[in-house]
Amino acid sequence: MLIDEYPTMPARLIAQKVSAGAVSARAVLDAAFAALDKVEPIIHAFATLAREEAYATAAALDERIARGEPVGPLAGVPVAIKDLVLTKGLRTTFGSNLYADYIPDADDIVVERLKAADAIILGKTNVSEFGFGAHGNNLLFPATGNPWNSERSPGGSSAGSAAAVAAGVCPIAIGSDGGGSVRLPAALSGLVGVKAAMGRVPLWPGCRDISLPGVSGWESIEHIGPIARDVADAALMLSVIAGPDPRDRWSIPCSDVSWTDIAPLSRGSRVLYWPTWHDQAIEMKLSEATDKAVKIVAEACGLDLTIGVPPEIDVHATFKTMVALETDLTGMRALLAEKPLPVSKAVTALLAESRPFEDATDAITARKAFADQIAKIMSRYDFILTPTLSVTAFAKDQDGPSEIDGNPIAPYEWCPFTSPFNLTGQPAASVPCGLVDGLPIGLQIVGRHLADAQVLSAAATFEAVLPPIGRPPIHA
């Protein structure tokens, strides 16, 4: 019976049942691996599995519960960890030939906290190489397929995490988001993805570790966050992984956020909707469906809605330059000289670039200008709403679509809405808002600086009034 119920059980219910002794952690894990074994040959969500370690963790947890010992808020909950996040003793490849056999000697902070909360790690999920790409293909593993259509991509770079959650393998998973890599795959997979405000969830070692060229980048724009089937489960994971840590100099106190106590959204909230990013293309059907979703939430929630356009700053060129600026190009070139192995087109192109120093200073200045403009906007509005991206799921072996509605587009013109808010560090979430030709789309909710609680309130309220999209065709 549990095997049948498990794929739709929320994390909070699993934890409640396991903690109370109503079901064993072992039985939950049996159900999780039954789900995984059913769908994994189709979707290829995982890079490395941790069966033996998971069963050992479950056995120890069941023994503690039998003795009446207290357990953590994620007791017995199976989770998947993106393969950019370090896991002690468990292979972490970063989707790269350069680290194909790398086994970390330390956990990332979020993994430490998940273990302390008694979650059970199923394994590591597939990514684009070093996260350089909003897709799920690399040179090491089969491309990850979307449970809504296995020939399509779930997006990325947290591709495997989104696919695993959508297919019912686990209720929650860890993703990372340097330019949208939690929100984008959540949208394409019919899930909730949350990027908390910069510093809410600490990162270490990961992108802070200079001993890992290729990994040690994106320092001022990278976030780690939950991918889940609903807002309440995402909030539960945030309650575990958020909070300061002295090893991450960007981390900030979180005492002003009670993650799981989600308040209703206030009627009359002032909302600014950007249906497009200036003249960049967007699928017509997706645009119409997102407009419809915004109308539904505005009427149902009594929003004070304004339709507008983003600031006139070339924030996407700024973002690209900031990525290059924060990447250890010298270290990556030295590593490739030591290990002359094939790497992705994106990594090859980045290492081939040569930029004047003024490119960096111009990007820093433009980032400040954009942040200043957004701060002025947010003084008048509680939220910004946008489509999460401009297309539905594209072919899984592609780095992204080359056209929209038959018209050619520039690389990454199809996802202009997410990376700007990595530059500002604002909290943002994507919630499912409909289907277009049987494929999910997402609505992005962006809050004021540090207004994580308000973003969760909006996400939960919108989730409650938007029509449910159901389960994908490929599921456990």
Side-chain angles (χ1 to χ4, degrees):
M1 180 65 72
L2 182 61
I3 286 178
D4 295 332
E5 297 173 353
Y6 168 80
T8 58
M9 288 179 70
R12 54 197 183 276
L13 179 58
I14 294 172
Q16 177 185 338
K17 287 181 173 293
V18 171
S19 299
V23 65
S24 69
R26 169 64 186 249
V28 171
L29 198 55
D30 285 343
F33 277 117
L36 187 152
D37 291 337
K38 179 180 178 180
V39 300
E40 178 62 12
I42 306 170
I43 62 173
H44 302 294
F46 285 84
T48 301
L49 291 178
R51 287 183 195 264
E52 185 176 341
E53 298 91 335
Y55 275 108
T57 301
L61 179 59
D62 284 336
E63 290 174 5
R64 287 169 51 207
I65 292 170
R67 293 194 298 265
E69 296 179 11
V71 293
L74 291 177
V77 176
V79 300
I81 308 294
K82 183 177 180 176
D83 207 24
L84 295 185
V85 178
L86 273 67
T87 43
K88 183 178 181 180
L90 182 61
R91 184 176 66 154
T92 302
T93 72
F94 315 110
S96 177
N97 283 318
L98 299 173
Y99 291 93
D101 300 311
Y102 177 65
I103 299 177
D105 58 7
D107 283 323
D108 200 289
I109 292 167
V110 295
V111 176
E112 289 179 354
R113 292 178 175 182
L114 288 170
K115 289 179 176 179
D118 290 318
I120 300 178
I121 295 170
L122 298 178
K124 307 301 291 293
T125 53
N126 204 23
V127 297
S128 57
E129 185 169 18
F130 297 129
F132 284 94
H135 52 81
N137 58 78
N138 56 53
L139 299 177
L140 271 182
F141 306 108
T144 299
N146 192 320
W148 291 87
N149 180 332
S150 62
E151 295 305 310
R152 303 290 184 99
S153 174
S157 60
S158 306
S161 287
V165 174
V169 175
C170 50
I172 49 177
I174 284 288
S176 62
D177 190 317
S181 289
V182 162
R183 291 159 288 160
L184 295 174
L188 291 181
S189 303
L191 303 169
V192 173
V194 181
K195 177 186 81 69
M198 183 66 182
R200 292 288 196 194
V201 178
L203 285 77
W204 182 93
C207 67
R208 313 286 193 249
D209 188 348
I210 61 171
S211 71
L212 299 171
V215 184
S216 57
W218 308 62
E219 185 185 20
S220 74
I221 53 179
E222 180 73 306
H223 303 66
I224 289 180
I227 296 174
R229 289 194 289 267
D230 62 25
V231 175
D233 269 0
L236 176 61
M237 179 175 266
L238 282 166
S239 73
V240 168
I241 64 174
D245 189 288
R247 292 169 290 184
D248 180 359
R249 65 190 178 91
W250 291 89
S251 70
I252 58 173
C254 296
S255 57
D256 58 329
V257 181
S258 178
W259 297 100
T260 56
D261 184 18
I262 302 176
L265 181 66
S266 300
R267 296 187 69 83
S269 293
R270 297 167 298 168
V271 174
L272 175 62
Y273 175 42
W274 293 341
T276 62
W277 199 279
H278 298 300
D279 59 352
Q280 294 198 16
I282 184 169
E283 285 182 9
M284 183 175 65
K285 288 184 179 180
L286 182 150
S287 180
E288 291 171 349
T290 311
D291 289 349
K292 180 180 178 180
V294 171
K295 183 178 180 181
I296 289 171
V297 299
E299 291 179 354
C301 305
L303 304 181
D304 181 359
L305 181 67
T306 300
I307 299 175
V309 295
E312 290 281 359
I313 295 174
D314 190 359
V315 71
H316 299 107
T318 298
F319 175 79
K320 184 178 178 181
T321 303
M322 291 304 302
V323 169
L325 177 63
E326 295 191 355
T327 297
D328 181 5
L329 300 177
T330 300
M332 288 182 71
R333 288 170 180 146
L335 183 60
L336 268 170
E338 178 187 340
K339 298 180 177 181
L341 299 170
V343 294
S344 68
K345 291 181 291 184
V347 173
T348 300
L350 177 65
L351 295 178
E353 286 188 13
S354 178
R355 293 168 175 260
F357 188 74
E358 286 76 12
D359 271 11
T361 56
D362 288 349
I364 292 169
T365 301
R367 181 181 189 175
K368 291 176 183 177
F370 181 71
D372 183 59
Q373 289 294 311
I374 293 296
K376 292 176 181 176
I377 289 169
M378 299 312 293
S379 70
R380 304 191 303 274
Y381 297 97
D382 299 301
F383 305 100
I384 296 171
L385 303 183
T386 76
T388 305
L389 68 170
S390 300
V391 297
T392 50
F394 48 89
K396 69 179 180 182
D397 59 351
Q398 293 181 346
D399 291 353
S402 58
E403 61 180 40
I404 292 179
D405 289 342
N407 299 309
I409 60 170
Y412 291 99
E413 187 176 335
W414 52 275
C415 53
F417 298 103
T418 53
S419 60
F421 303 107
N422 291 78
L423 293 175
T424 63
Q426 290 165 264
S430 179
V431 296
C433 70
L435 296 173
V436 172
D437 296 331
L439 296 170
I441 62 172
L443 177 66
Q444 179 177 227
I445 305 161
V446 182
R448 292 174 172 171
H449 179 55
L450 301 181
D452 299 81
Q454 289 74 19
V455 168
L456 290 176
S457 292
T461 303
F462 294 175
E463 177 182 71
V465 300
L466 287 167
I469 64 172
R471 299 181 68 189
I474 299 168
H475 58 78

